[in-house]
């Protein structure tokens, strides 16, 4: 009986060490990526850093907040989700586009046209796009207020 108790205790201890070891790993992110998005040489510690790195404002600054940027690949094309939040009660009209870059940081596709989006008060909307070419390895989400 002592032997079986000892064996069970040994197995439990081994599993506890294995589980503790796994819990200290930080996800399954590839080096040079955060939330699936390419970083280059930039350091990103949280979603706020990633949003600052991947977004830019042009023209009139919109009264919306970019909350999340997440990336994945579909086949050999990059897919992007951007969550935009209007935390005010007024309706916000916003224009946005994506600027695509290749591995060397040069433009990978022609400049996109501005796309309008209407954000109702106290709402969130996820804007999703897919890269126009497999050459696109990085991007910038560009936003502008329309009012």
């Amino acid at each position: 009986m002592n032997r079986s108790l000892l064996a069970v205790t040994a197995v439990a201890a081994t599993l506890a060490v294995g589980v503790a070891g796994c819990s200290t790993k930080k996800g399954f992110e590839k080096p040079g990526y955060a939330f699936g998005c390419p970083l280059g040489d930039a350091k990103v510690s949280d979603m706020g850093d990633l949003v600052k790195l991947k977004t830019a404002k042009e023209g009139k600054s919109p009264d919306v907040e970019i909350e999340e940027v997440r990336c994945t690949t579909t086949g050999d094309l990059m897919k992007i989700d951007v969550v935009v939040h209007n935390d005010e009660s007024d309706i916000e009209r916003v224009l946005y586009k994506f600027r695509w870059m290749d591995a060397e940081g040069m433009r990978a596709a022609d400049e996109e046209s501005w796309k309008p989006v209407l954000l109702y008060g106290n709402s969130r909307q996820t804007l999703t796009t897919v890269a126009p070419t497999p050459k696109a390895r990085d991007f910038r989400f560009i936003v502008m207020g329309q009012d």
Side-chain angles (χ1 to χ4, degrees), residues 8 12 42 45 60 63-64 71-72 75 83 87 99 114 124 132 136:
V8 170
S45 61
K60 182 180 184 277
D63 291 331
V64 296
C71 309
T72 188
V83 177
D87 62 354
R99 184 167 291 146
W114 289 102
R124 285 177 177 76

Side-chain angles (χ1 to χ4, degrees), residues 62-64 85-92 119-123:
D63 291 331
V64 296
H85 178 218
N86 178 10
D87 62 354
E88 297 183 8
S89 59
D90 296 336
I91 295 174
E92 288 293 328
L119 291 162
Y120 291 99
N122 301 310
S123 69

Side-chain angles (χ1 to χ4, degrees), residues 23-44:
S23 68
T24 60
K25 289 184 179 179
K26 187 177 178 182
F28 298 100
E29 203 72 69
K30 295 188 295 188
Y33 287 77
F35 301 96
C37 300
L39 300 176
D41 295 334
K43 302 292 181 202
V44 170

Side-chain angles (χ1 to χ4, degrees), residues 44-104:
V44 170
S45 61
D46 60 15
M47 182 59 73
D49 290 346
L50 181 63
V51 167
K52 288 176 188 171
L53 179 66
K54 295 297 178 186
T55 61
K57 295 179 180 178
E58 284 188 8
K60 182 180 184 277
S61 187
D63 291 331
V64 296
E65 178 184 347
I66 311 303
E67 287 189 334
E68 290 184 23
V69 177
R70 296 190 184 271
C71 309
T72 188
T73 53
T74 302
D76 57 351
L77 297 175
M78 183 182 290
K79 180 182 173 191
I80 314 296
D81 286 344
V82 177
V83 177
V84 182
H85 178 218
N86 178 10
D87 62 354
E88 297 183 8
S89 59
D90 296 336
I91 295 174
E92 288 293 328
R93 289 176 173 79
V94 176
L95 298 170
Y96 74 94
K97 63 182 173 180
F98 288 85
R99 184 167 291 146
W100 300 99
M101 285 132 351
D102 64 15
E104 286 79 34

